Amino acid sequence: MTENTPVTATTRVALVTGGSGGIGRAVAERLAADGFAVGVQYAGNKNGAGEVVAAITARGGQALAVAGDVADERDMGAVFDAVEAEFGGIDVVVNTAGIMILAPIAELALDDLDRMHRTNIRGTVVVAQQAARRLRRGGAIVNFSTSVTRTRLPTYGAYVASKAAVEGMTLVLARELRGKDITVNAVAPGPTATPLFLRDKDDTAVAAFAGAAPLERLGQPEDIAETVAFLAGPARWINGQVLFANGGLA
């Protein structure tokens, strides 16, 4: 926090899960640049979350790092409590937290399936429950899917299944929040240059992904953050949708 930028009654507040790195960090910093006070949720990367908060406050913004497991309802209740206590309420929740484990379906370790289910599906539900109960009017919930729900690449089957569940619940929740003036959408990135995506890929594989889209490059975390900022701000007539931010890949 910085003394010269106090939270006021008109300050909008965002909570970004998985905000300590990758797309989550870009989202947190973009929303802060748009004037949001930002809660940066993290699970294990305390140093990364601290770096995000430091980067935001160095630019005159307001941010708070809060630890918690997105799939644990008690943890997330405490995370929401902490952000509300610091900033006075919450207007936007961006649910970037997720894990990706790749394997052919026939060879997939079921423990890995359970891990993805817990974080990607249960975690989305837990966060969505808190958001649905707490967001102020005019708010927005932004979930995260993946463009692989369209491209359907081999080895992505279990991951796609977890993200297809997120897409399915997004429209349902939007309809369930009728009358609350809260939008619910999902962003489905294509190949994006994050540590999660680049892990275990050689230069040839990365080049193939980069060349697949008509724009002939990988997405950058800032590209995805721009999409989130649109949904979190002016896009009040977009509701229950999945936006594929992938440069024309699919």
Side-chain angles (χ1 to χ4, degrees):
M1 297 286 292
T2 57
E3 294 182 0
N4 62 339
T5 54
V7 174
T8 70
T10 59
T11 300
R12 298 192 77 206
V13 179
L15 169 61
V16 180
T17 73
S20 61
I23 290 172
R25 175 171 185 158
V27 168
E29 293 186 0
R30 171 57 189 268
L31 293 180
D34 286 349
F36 283 82
V38 183
V40 180
Q41 180 273 340
Y42 67 95
N45 190 4
K46 181 178 181 179
N47 289 340
E51 290 172 1
V52 176
V53 170
I56 291 172
T57 56
R59 299 185 185 105
Q62 305 155 92
L64 172 73
V66 192
D69 176 358
V70 292
D72 186 305
E73 62 272 27
R74 293 171 293 277
D75 274 14
M76 290 314 298
V79 166
F80 274 74
D81 286 344
V83 175
E84 288 177 336
E86 182 74 11
F87 299 127
I90 302 175
D91 302 283
V92 171
V93 170
V94 185
N95 207 5
T96 77
I99 62 173
M100 179 175 67
I101 303 171
L102 304 182
I105 291 171
E107 301 170 14
L108 176 71
L110 294 181
D111 284 348
D112 288 341
L113 174 65
D114 291 342
R115 285 176 60 202
M116 281 191 286
H117 183 286
R118 186 177 188 278
T119 299
N120 297 354
I121 302 178
R122 179 187 169 95
T124 298
V125 172
V126 168
V127 173
Q129 286 181 331
Q130 292 291 333
R133 296 165 185 164
R134 297 181 185 235
L135 288 195
R136 296 185 285 210
R137 293 186 66 85
I141 299 170
V142 182
N143 293 324
F144 262 71
S145 181
T146 172
S147 287
V148 192
T149 57
R150 284 188 175 179
T151 58
R152 302 181 183 95
L153 298 174
T155 75
Y156 283 80
Y159 178 67
V160 163
S162 72
K163 292 301 188 176
V166 172
E167 291 186 12
M169 73 178 77
T170 293
L171 176 57
V172 172
L173 181 58
R175 289 174 170 171
E176 290 175 347
L177 294 182
R178 173 185 292 272
K180 293 191 174 183
D181 192 23
I182 295 171
T183 62
V184 187
N185 294 288
V187 175
T192 305
T194 66
L196 178 67
F197 172 77
L198 295 172
R199 187 182 62 207
D200 299 327
K201 292 182 176 70
D202 59 23
D203 290 344
T204 300
V206 171
F209 276 106
L215 296 178
E216 297 185 321
R217 66 173 177 86
L218 294 178
Q220 296 298 315
E222 293 75 17
D223 295 319
I224 313 306
E226 182 176 356
T227 307
V228 172
F230 174 60
L231 294 173
R236 299 306 302 168
W237 196 234
I238 298 177
N239 195 19
Q241 305 302 308
V242 181
L243 270 63
F244 287 81
N246 59 30
L249 179 64

